[in-house]
Amino acid sequence: MENTLAPGLYIVATPIGNLGDLSPRASMILSQADVVAVEDSRVTAGLLRHIGVKRPMQPYHDHNADAVRPDLIARMGSEAVALVSDAGTPLISDPGYKLVRDARAAGHTVVTIPGPCAAIAALTLAGLPTDRFFFLGFLPSKAHARAEAIAEVAAIKATLVLYESGPRLSACLSALAEGLGDREAGVAREITKKFEECVTGTLSTLAARYAEAPPKGEIVIVVGPPGEAPPATLEDGEAALVEALTRLPASKAAGEVAKKLGLDRKALYARAMELKG
C-alpha cells in the first residue's frame, strides 16, 4: 500500500476489547504510519498482526516520555507519527497530551482518529444521566487522599465517571458512598468482550457485592449526580429565622431566610415580628 500520509501526529483510538471495533480509517493510519508511538509494544504488535502489517514502534509511556518526546517531535517534521494507547482513545487518563501540546507548539499537523473509549462506553451502559458528566480517571490509592479527591467533586451536578482496578473496587465504592451519599451507580467491566457486564445499584450495595469477590478486567465506575435537595419546610424556616434574628433586624432576617430557603418573604417577616413581640 502506497504511503499517502502527510507528516505530523495522528492520534489513533484502538479497541478496548473487541478487535472488530478498530475503524477502517484507524487501520489505514496504522498501516501507513512511519512510526507508531505505543504504550506497550507487545499489545500493539498484536493489534498490528490483526490487520496484517508490521510497522516500526517506539515505546512512549510515563517512564520514558520526557526522554523520547523530543525525538518524536523532530520526526513529525518529515514523518507520520501515530500515537496509540494499549486500549481506547489516547490522552484519556494517560500522558499523551504533552506530545500533542509540543507537536502543536512546533507547528506540526495534529489529526485525531476517534473511536472506542471505555469511559464513554460505560456511560452508555449504566442508564444514568448523560447530559453532564465529569471524568475523574483513577482516584488515589491511599484512603485519606482518595477521600479528599471525592470531597472535591461531591457537589458537582453531573454523573461521575472513573476507572478502577478489581482489587481496589470494593474499597473505592465504599469511599464513594461515604463521601457522596448512597447514590445510584454502575460498575461496567470487560466492555465489548465476551463477558461484558454492567451491574447497577446503590454504591453501598455494589461495594458489598464486590467485597468478597473482586472482579477481573478493566473496570469503569459510573456514579449518578446528587439528588435535588428537598424543599424547605416551615420548621426549617422557623429555625433559620430564629437564628437570623440574633444577628439582623426583622426585615433583613426575613429577606436572608427567604433567599436561602426559597420561602415567602412576607410570611417570614410577619413571623419575625411575632417572634420579636
Side-chain angles (χ1 to χ4, degrees), residues 17-103:
N18 192 318
L19 293 179
D21 292 336
L22 186 71
S23 72
R25 184 176 176 225
S27 180
M28 181 273 290
I29 296 294
L30 292 176
S31 299
Q32 297 188 16
D34 294 295
V35 61
V36 183
V38 303
E39 192 173 350
D40 186 327
S41 59
R42 296 166 297 181
V43 174
T44 303
L47 181 63
L48 294 177
R49 282 195 299 271
H50 173 71
I51 60 176
V53 301
K54 290 184 178 181
R55 303 308 300 158
M57 289 184 285
Q58 169 62 62
Y60 183 78
H61 46 68
D62 281 331
H63 304 295
N64 74 347
D66 290 343
V68 171
R69 192 158 52 248
D71 178 63
L72 288 174
I73 296 298
R75 295 183 68 168
M76 290 173 200
S78 58
E79 297 179 325
V81 177
L83 172 68
V84 301
S85 63
D86 284 350
T89 301
L91 280 71
I92 307 302
S93 201
D94 78 29
Y97 80 90
K98 296 178 182 177
L99 187 64
V100 173
R101 177 191 60 195
D102 288 1

Side-chain angles (χ1 to χ4, degrees), residues 12 15 51-52 68 91 96 103 105 136 147 210 212 218 224 249 256:
V12 184
I51 60 176
V68 171
L91 280 71
L136 297 172
Y210 293 111
E212 298 300 324
E218 301 295 327
E256 179 185 278

